[in-house]
Structure formats: C-alpha cells, structure tokens
C-alpha cells in the first residue's frame, strides 16, 4: 500500500469513528433516564472499539456506587460475576484507578491484583475513569474475547 492509499484508509477510519461518536451523542441526547443514557454510553463505546463486553459505573460524592450498567453479557453472566465474593470488589478496584488501564489479559491482571477467577473470562481490557472536572464520578470498562485483539491508544482516546 503506497502512502496515498494509507492516508486515505486512515482518513476513512477517522471519519467512521467520528460518525460513530456523533451518532452515539445524538442517541444519548434523546434519552432522559440516567440508566438509558449510561446504556447508550456503554453500547456506543463497545461499538466504536469493537469490544465484546462493557460496563459503566457511577459513584456518588461519598464514593458509593449509584449505577452499574453492562453491555454484551447475559443476565446469568452478570449475576454470576456480581455474586462471586470479589464481584463488587473488582469494580471498586477498577474505579479506584487514577490512570487509564489497558491490559492484554484482564483475567491475569485482576488475578495479580487479588481477584482470581473472573467470569466471564475477558481478554484485552480497557478501563477509564469518568470525571466531572476534578471529581471522579464513574468508570467505564471494556473487554475483548480471550485471544482477541488488544485495545489501542485510539480506543482510549475515543
């Protein structure tokens, strides 16, 4: 592929990403319910990055969880994850991270942090804080199938 073709492909990829962001923003503006907006956020993030799994949490001023909205998991998988002894602990751990986290293997990363046996098994992982000014108000997590592609810096920026 010559330089001109590479630049055209890169330009098209950026246009597609911008169109996806615009579409997600418009859908969020249509929703009045917080859970519906959060669902649009996590669904849009999955769509834009190609992620298999997604979750978004919000926290109140005391640092307590207000909302958990998931995408790409069955109700049974969600129940299984939250009913494990470490279920909410995983979300507390991830929401406490100050810097974005991109990991090649989420199960391995969480096991090294004291959270073994993550279900469903997740391969590559991307986790980011949601901030309102200087205040931490939530966290978004995205995951790939085990053995799937890794998240990129462009995914993190999006």
């Amino acid at each position: 592929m010559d330089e001109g073709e590479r630049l055209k492909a890169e330009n098209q990829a950026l246009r597609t990403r911008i169109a996806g962001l615009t579409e997600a923003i418009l859908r969020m503006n249509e929703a009045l319910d917080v859970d519906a907006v959060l669902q649009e956020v996590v669904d849009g993030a999955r769509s834009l990055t190609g992620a298999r799994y997604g979750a978004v949490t919000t926290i109140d001023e005391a640092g307590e969880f207000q909302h958990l909205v998931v995408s790409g998991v069955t109700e049974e998988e969600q129940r299984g994850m939250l009913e494990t002894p470490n279920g909410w602990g995983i979300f507390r751990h991830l929401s406490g991270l100050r810097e974005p986290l991109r990991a090649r293997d989420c199960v391995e990363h969480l096991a090294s942090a004291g959270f073994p046996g993550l279900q469903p098994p997740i391969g590559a992982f991307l986790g980011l804080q949601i901030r309102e000014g200087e205040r931490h108000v939530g966290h978004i997590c995205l995951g790939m199938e085990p053995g799937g592609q890794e998240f990129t810096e462009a995914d993190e920026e999006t």
Side-chain angles (χ1 to χ4, degrees), residues 3 8 11 13 17 22 31-32 65 94 101 104 129 134 151:
E3 183 66 11
K8 283 182 183 178
N11 188 10
R17 192 169 286 247
T22 302
L32 299 176
F65 286 106
L94 294 172
L101 171 66
R104 178 175 288 136
Q129 276 195 354
E134 290 299 312
F151 289 99

Side-chain angles (χ1 to χ4, degrees), residues 97-103 125-129 139 156-157:
L97 299 174
R98 300 289 297 167
E99 299 294 322
L101 171 66
R102 272 191 285 159
F125 175 83
L126 175 62
L128 303 154
Q129 276 195 354
H139 201 80
E156 189 177 314
E157 289 172 2

Side-chain angles (χ1 to χ4, degrees), residues 91-140:
F91 284 107
R92 281 186 184 77
H93 167 73
L94 294 172
S95 71
L97 299 174
R98 300 289 297 167
E99 299 294 322
L101 171 66
R102 272 191 285 159
R104 178 175 288 136
D105 185 327
C106 185
V107 174
E108 182 179 291
H109 171 79
L110 289 175
S112 72
F115 301 100
L118 177 66
Q119 290 298 322
I122 297 172
F125 175 83
L126 175 62
L128 303 154
Q129 276 195 354
I130 301 170
R131 303 195 66 77
E132 179 182 6
E134 290 299 312
R135 191 166 87 79
H136 173 208
V137 296
H139 201 80
I140 187 161

Side-chain angles (χ1 to χ4, degrees), residues 43-131:
D43 290 344
R46 279 187 54 228
S47 175
L48 289 166
T49 61
R52 167 68 173 87
Y53 306 105
V56 64
T57 60
T58 63
I59 57 173
D60 63 19
E61 291 182 17
E64 297 298 320
F65 286 106
Q66 290 181 308
H67 298 92
L68 167 65
V69 178
V70 297
S71 181
V73 297
T74 65
E75 286 183 32
E76 182 179 322
E77 289 171 325
Q78 181 181 349
R79 226 179 359 266
M81 183 176 68
L82 294 176
E83 290 174 0
T84 65
N86 293 323
W88 281 104
I90 290 170
F91 284 107
R92 281 186 184 77
H93 167 73
L94 294 172
S95 71
L97 299 174
R98 300 289 297 167
E99 299 294 322
L101 171 66
R102 272 191 285 159
R104 178 175 288 136
D105 185 327
C106 185
V107 174
E108 182 179 291
H109 171 79
L110 289 175
S112 72
F115 301 100
L118 177 66
Q119 290 298 322
I122 297 172
F125 175 83
L126 175 62
L128 303 154
Q129 276 195 354
I130 301 170
R131 303 195 66 77

